[in-house]
Amino acid sequence: MPYKNKIYVCFDADEDMDYYNLLKAWNKNENFDFLMYNAHELNNLREGSKEETIKRKLKERLNNSKLMIVLVGKNTKYLYKYVRWEIEQAIELDIPIIAINIVKDSNGKYNRNVDENNCPKILKETTALHIPFREKIITKAIHEWPDIHTYYINKKEIGSKIYTDSVYKELNL
């Protein structure tokens, strides 16, 4: 059985790569508490690989993951070939999921709740934590969510979860 210490990041590689790269930059920057053992650093995927090969390699990465982050962008709910498949695999493998909203509202802020306009239905119907794209809350969620997720699953409390306003106040967000 593989040692599960990785974080699997699921996102729209065509539109949301900047957010993924920012997560990686926070990870490398010692001025941030952010720490992410990136599952995408396992096994190489070559451009032009067949879908079955890609999914097999992605499944290997998921099997080594303790947590999945889904970057919820403008197109995420429309991506079935890989993104939805990856989410389905995480649910099947009982990997805790953090949905990070990367679309700003009319006030220029990231949504702290479920992004009703952009979040895939499958994420709304499973036990996933929904948070904004902010380093402090992401760091907190990475540390806490796996245990909290287990608590909800054991109590059979399925459905979307959010942090209360007091958590954001505690982090000065």
Side-chain angles (χ1 to χ4, degrees):
M1 178 162 177
Y3 181 66
K4 294 181 164 228
N5 68 339
K6 306 288 189 241
I7 296 175
Y8 188 101
V9 184
C10 177
F11 63 101
D12 179 351
D14 293 326
E15 297 293 326
D16 303 328
M17 185 63 79
D18 290 345
Y19 289 93
Y20 173 66
N21 286 333
L22 188 52
L23 291 174
K24 293 191 317 182
W26 289 341
N27 188 51
K28 288 182 180 178
N29 188 330
E30 54 191 53
N31 294 321
F32 289 93
D33 290 330
F34 190 82
L35 183 61
M36 177 177 80
Y37 296 108
N38 190 352
H40 289 291
E41 293 172 0
L42 298 173
N43 67 36
N44 292 327
L45 281 170
R46 288 191 283 274
E47 196 169 317
S49 294
K50 293 180 180 180
E51 181 178 344
E52 93 180 31
T53 302
I54 292 169
K55 286 184 175 179
R56 182 177 43 80
K57 296 231 180 210
L58 293 177
K59 184 82 174 224
E60 287 175 25
R61 293 175 183 178
L62 283 161
N63 282 327
N64 282 283
S65 298
K66 68 173 184 175
L67 180 70
M68 173 184 268
I69 289 175
V70 179
L71 298 177
V72 179
K74 290 180 181 176
N75 297 318
T76 307
K77 69 180 178 184
Y78 303 114
L79 303 174
Y80 290 88
K81 186 174 183 178
Y82 294 111
V83 171
R84 181 180 173 97
W85 178 85
E86 290 166 302
I87 295 167
E88 288 170 344
Q89 297 305 304
I91 292 167
E92 184 178 306
L93 294 168
D94 199 28
I95 298 171
I97 300 172
I98 301 172
I100 301 177
N101 299 316
I102 62 172
V103 177
K104 292 182 179 177
D105 64 18
S106 59
N107 296 321
K109 296 186 178 190
Y110 298 109
N111 194 338
R112 292 181 176 182
N113 299 299
V114 177
D115 184 333
E116 294 295 339
N117 295 322
N118 299 301
C119 186
K121 183 178 177 185
I122 191 170
L123 274 182
K124 294 177 189 177
E125 295 175 347
T126 194
T127 304
L129 178 65
H130 296 260
I131 60 172
F133 190 84
R134 302 286 303 269
E135 183 268 331
K136 286 182 182 179
I137 200 72
I138 296 170
T139 298
K140 180 176 184 65
I142 287 171
H143 291 293
E144 295 180 353
W145 182 243
D147 290 335
I148 296 169
H149 174 266
T150 300
Y151 168 82
Y152 284 126
I153 295 299
N154 288 339
K155 292 193 69 106
K156 300 195 183 332
E157 292 184 26
I158 308 302
S160 298
K161 307 298 180 198
I162 61 170
Y163 280 126
T164 61
D165 287 340
S166 64
V167 171
Y168 290 97
K169 188 173 182 178
E170 173 188 312
L171 294 172
N172 294 319
L173 296 175

